[in-house]
Amino acid sequence: MQANIKQLNRQDYQLSYSVYGKGTPVVLLHGYGEDSQIWLNQIAHLSAHCLLIVPDLPGSGKSSITAKGLDEWLPNMSIDSLAQSINQLLIAENVSACILLGHSMGGYIGLAFAELYPSKLLGLGLVHSTAFADNNEKKIVRQKSIQFIAENGGSAFFKTSMPNLFGKKFKENQAHIIEQLINQSKNFESSILIGYTRAMMNRPDRSTVLGSANFPILFIAGPEDIAAPLKDVQEQATLPNKSYLTILDGVGHMGMLEAPHEMNLHLTNFIQLV
């Protein structure tokens, strides 16, 4: 389906996004070190079932941060401020309420959005994501990542870390796809990646958002996911009033690529349920 490519211009950033189809508004939020292209396996399928809005987050893909934003917005960037950028996008599109489906950091942004604008959500999907805050051990890892990126750049960081996000079978059989993602990471400025990392490290626990939600929540998890461990997702899936948990066998953190057909099926079913 042909995309309607748009851009939202704000003082701090230019937000690039694509719009497909018609019907219930659904926003796909990519994760850390990714852009909207991570959803390519889902876009063609989902756009037949909804009005699909797929942005690049500020500083990712075709979305840039202005000179003013680099001076003032980026140093204070938070998961909340990224959620506010998505709210600005919905206002620009005259969307009063939507389903948000977020992968990893995109899920963190979805949870922040749910806390800030609960009346604007029809449903929330946490795709390999978690409501838990970073524990002390994870914060130490984030700090080391910040130092490594500052000294060596994002591409060197992802060359080491990206393969760990995939399940064993995918790593063995689809190494070229992982290599493509690593090559794409060269497009990221180190300052942007550091800003994202710091925002993730400083985000609060949002388990209470799950418990108080008056909209359905979808959890998609992988047994081989080291970033959003299955046991954490299973625990969180007991909190919402309306909860749907899907476990993708043999999958790590990247089910959009590792099990695209199953991912498409479960996302479509959730959209139709909502």
Side-chain angles (χ1 to χ4, degrees), residues 73-210:
W73 188 79
L74 180 60
N76 300 301
M77 184 173 68
S78 65
I79 297 299
D80 285 37
S81 65
L82 290 168
Q84 289 162 0
S85 74
I86 300 304
N87 184 52
Q88 292 298 317
L89 168 57
L90 294 182
I91 292 171
E93 285 297 305
N94 292 313
V95 171
S96 59
C98 70
I99 299 170
L100 277 182
L101 305 173
H103 174 240
S104 194
M105 185 179 77
Y108 306 160
I109 296 167
L111 285 161
F113 188 97
E115 188 170 66
L116 291 167
Y117 315 104
S119 65
K120 293 190 173 187
L121 275 186
L122 302 172
L124 175 64
L126 300 180
V127 180
H128 305 295
S129 194
T130 175
F132 293 158
D134 285 355
N135 58 27
N136 289 335
E137 181 181 353
K138 183 66 174 180
K139 286 182 178 180
I140 291 170
V141 172
R142 300 270 198 213
Q143 287 284 14
K144 289 180 178 178
S145 298
I146 288 171
Q147 183 176 352
F148 186 92
I149 293 167
E151 294 174 356
N152 302 283
S155 184
F157 172 75
F158 288 117
K159 187 173 184 179
T160 302
S161 63
M162 187 74 75
N164 297 327
L165 298 179
F166 292 85
K168 182 175 182 292
K169 184 178 179 181
F170 192 89
K171 279 193 287 189
E172 292 173 351
N173 298 330
Q174 303 290 341
H176 66 285
I177 294 179
I178 301 174
E179 191 63 31
Q180 287 173 5
L181 288 175
I182 293 170
N183 287 334
Q184 289 168 11
S185 71
K186 294 175 182 177
N187 297 324
F188 277 97
E189 295 288 341
S190 294
S191 61
I192 304 294
L193 291 173
I194 290 170
Y196 290 152
T197 307
R198 189 174 290 116
M200 292 190 294
M201 182 177 67
N202 293 331
R203 77 187 191 282
D205 187 292
R206 286 198 161 97
S207 301
T208 56
V209 174
L210 299 178

